Amino acid sequence: MDKIRIRGGVRLKGEIPISGAKNAALPLMAACLLTDAPLTLTNVPKLADVAFMADLLRLFGAGVEWTPESSPGAGGRYRLCAANLVGTTADYDIVRKMRASFVVLGPLLARAGQAKVSLPGGCAIGARPVNLHLMALEALGAAVELSDGYVIASAPGGLKGARIEFPTVSVGATENALMAATLAEGHSVIANAAREPEIGDLGDCLMAMGARISGLGTSTIVVDGVAALHAAEHAVLPDRIETGTYAMAAAIAGGEIELTGTRADLIGSLITVLEMAGAQVSQTNRGLAVARNGVRPTSVSATTAPFPGFPTDLQAQFMALMATAEGTSHIRETIFENRFMHVPELLRMSADITIEGDTAIVRGVPRLAGAPVMATDLRASSSLVLAGLGAEGETIVNRVYHLDRGFERLEEKLSRVGADIERLPA
Ligand code: UD1
């Protein structure tokens, strides 16, 4: 398995193009199942998870054509066309490899009146149940049965518009509910909906396909069902997690970088804490500029929360930054119960971190020390790369396949701004 070697201590300078968002692209791709007409998506990141979703769509009979953009690293365009569905079952072997494949449930059910999708099971960052997805589809009139590890949902007479009131915010359940409601008969209200920008992006695409939706970006989304959706083209929004990760790379390594093709409003909560920590962040014509010159970062505390709060997907990377800050930071994780797996690895790099319940207490040290470390999940992997950028000496990050699931050409993007980083093939 490939490894990544980083020699720390080099300041960063230059620009990094930000790719389309993985977490937007996956549900957007699933939206092609809602119609027999083609859906064209541009600015799609070239990632293992995205290719995996394309394979899944092919199993349902969708035609999938990928055209890479001419400039390297700019992702590509998918033309997806599910003219005839040949299947409505997503096997365990598929869903266990990528939990986000569960988002095909709503569109399949809405279009075909039935779907059978494996329960995703637990994953490294916690139990991650799907009760909210099922609750939403039941509210829309589906009969849902659990059998042999599968969710079997049916609505032979079609889904019916309804009020769905989520007890807690879920990104994936909101996406399934939103897609299903577009073809349900009548009026649906999704209350306590997730407000993540990826939901707004999905809603915009669905509206381009003819869906009638209002309230995107708020916690109450209203959908008036239509009989059918039509062809559309949509550009995937910039990846806010990639944006935030590279912003923190500059804050850890020092220097000045411009992140092009992205927007400040996608990472407002991170910008606030980065500025408190002593970094300078400004909007430019082409994206965002992030700089840290001279002084050591100052410790700042943060608590993860649904958007617009501090994203759980940036928590591990932020901890790498705080590990070298002046002072003590409390980082509280409220979304996932087991999302501190990067801590033992950061300790191997001489960080001083203790965990008390859902809070990591991070006492900054002047400099981390390079070490061999193991990537345990996607975001943890990127935090170890960031830690390596700020560490003294050499860091080897093992098991980097997680990174390839969510970051397009990470080592190339960082080396083009001067980082001493390379991939060591297995
Ligand atoms: C999405 C993101 C993931 C991010 C997460 C939170 C994608 C592909 N993934 O994951 O990167 O970390 O949002 O921002 O977009 N929950 C339930 N029952 C459910 C569903 C969720 O209890 O039916 C709980 C989860 O266990 C978790 C919380 O709700 O504690 C939030 O999870 P959710 O927003 O659903 O995350 P995902 O959509 O899986």
Side-chain angles (χ1 to χ4, degrees):
M1 214 174 284
D2 290 1
K3 301 170 179 187
I4 286 185
R5 179 171 62 203
I6 305 138
R7 296 194 184 92
V10 183
R11 291 165 64 77
L12 306 183
K13 186 155 182 60
E15 65 180 66
I16 297 181
I18 297 300
S19 299
K22 169 181 85 80
N23 284 353
L26 297 174
L28 284 167
M29 291 172 75
C32 84
L33 298 170
L34 288 163
T35 172
D36 59 5
L39 173 62
T40 302
L41 298 174
T42 59
N43 198 34
V44 181
K46 191 169 183 296
L47 296 170
D49 274 9
V50 166
F52 188 78
M53 179 60 92
D55 288 342
L56 176 58
L57 297 175
R58 281 192 189 96
L59 286 182
F60 301 133
V64 176
E65 287 165 32
W66 166 259
T67 316
E69 289 298 336
S70 47
S71 55
R77 153 191 300 256
Y78 265 125
R79 185 179 185 276
L80 307 167
C81 186
N84 297 300
L85 291 180
V86 298
T88 53
T89 299
D91 286 333
Y92 176 63
D93 264 355
I94 291 166
V95 185
R96 100 186 142 78
K97 284 193 202 128
M98 188 178 73
R99 196 192 141 79
S101 40
F102 201 72
V103 81
V104 299
L105 179 62
L108 282 177
L109 175 66
R111 168 98 178 275
Q114 60 175 44
K116 181 175 172 186
V117 178
S118 170
L119 287 165
C123 79
I125 61 171
R128 299 186 83 171
V130 291
N131 57 314
L132 302 174
H133 299 246
L134 306 188
M135 185 210 95
L137 299 176
E138 280 177 328
L140 292 170
V144 176
E145 191 191 317
L146 298 182
S147 169
D148 299 330
Y150 279 83
V151 173
I152 303 168
S154 61
L159 296 170
K160 304 275 181 285
R163 183 177 171 85
I164 300 162
E165 178 117 29
F166 286 119
T168 53
V169 175
S170 162
V171 174
T174 303
E175 290 164 347
N176 254 329
L178 177 59
M179 286 193 274
T182 60
L183 292 183
E185 190 188 326
H187 185 76
S188 295
V189 175
I190 307 174
N192 203 17
R195 286 184 284 160
E196 269 63 7
E198 293 76 22
I199 307 273
D201 203 41
L202 174 63
D204 287 344
C205 176
L206 292 169
M207 287 199 288
M209 294 166 74
R212 293 173 59 202
I213 302 171
S214 61
L216 290 171
T218 76
S219 51
T220 306
I221 301 177
V222 177
V223 185
D224 284 293
V226 294
L229 296 178
H230 53 66
E233 177 166 331
H234 177 82
V236 178
L237 100 162
D239 195 312
R240 64 195 167 97
I241 305 306
E242 191 193 29
T243 304
T245 301
Y246 292 130
M248 285 190 273
I252 286 178
E256 192 169 337
I257 60 175
E258 186 176 15
L259 305 172
T260 58
T262 190
R263 306 197 313 257
D265 62 294
L266 297 174
I267 55 161
S269 59
L270 175 68
I271 291 176
T272 305
V273 292
L274 279 181
E275 288 178 338
M276 287 164 76
Q280 292 88 48
V281 185
S282 54
Q283 180 93 48
T284 67
N285 294 340
R286 301 186 309 154
L288 273 181
V290 186
R292 183 180 66 79
N293 291 305
V295 288
R296 191 174 156 196
T298 312
S299 288
V300 185
S301 292
T303 298
T304 63
F307 193 85
F310 191 93
T312 175
D313 287 349
L314 289 175
Q315 178 258 108
Q317 299 90 314
F318 183 63
M319 197 177 298
L321 172 63
M322 289 297 101
T324 58
E326 174 104 54
T328 300
S329 160
H330 290 71
I331 301 178
R332 185 164 168 241
E333 172 59 57
T334 69
I335 309 288
F336 294 112
E337 69 265 34
N338 186 23
R339 217 178 205 187
F340 285 142
M341 282 153 335
H342 42 287
V343 170
E345 302 301 310
L346 290 172
L347 295 180
R348 291 174 50 73
M349 299 179 70
S350 306
D352 181 355
I353 305 170
T354 46
I355 298 174
E356 284 181 15
D358 64 3
T359 302
I361 300 157
V362 187
R363 291 171 205 84
V365 297
R367 196 81 198 266
L368 294 175
V373 287
M374 182 77 82
T376 49
D377 71 29
L378 173 54
R379 310 307 173 186
S381 316
S382 53
S383 89
L384 298 174
V385 170
L386 296 196
L389 293 176
E392 177 97 51
E394 184 174 282
T395 297
I396 305 271
V397 183
N398 291 288
R399 274 213 220 158
V400 295
Y401 69 91
H402 291 292
L403 276 177
D404 298 332
R405 290 185 45 210
F407 285 88
E408 188 172 352
R409 303 181 325 131
L410 170 128
E411 70 279 6
E412 278 178 60
K413 288 190 181 186
L414 282 171
S415 61
R416 72 188 262 180
V417 292
D420 186 346
I421 178 168
E422 65 178 325
R423 181 178 289 251
L424 307 175

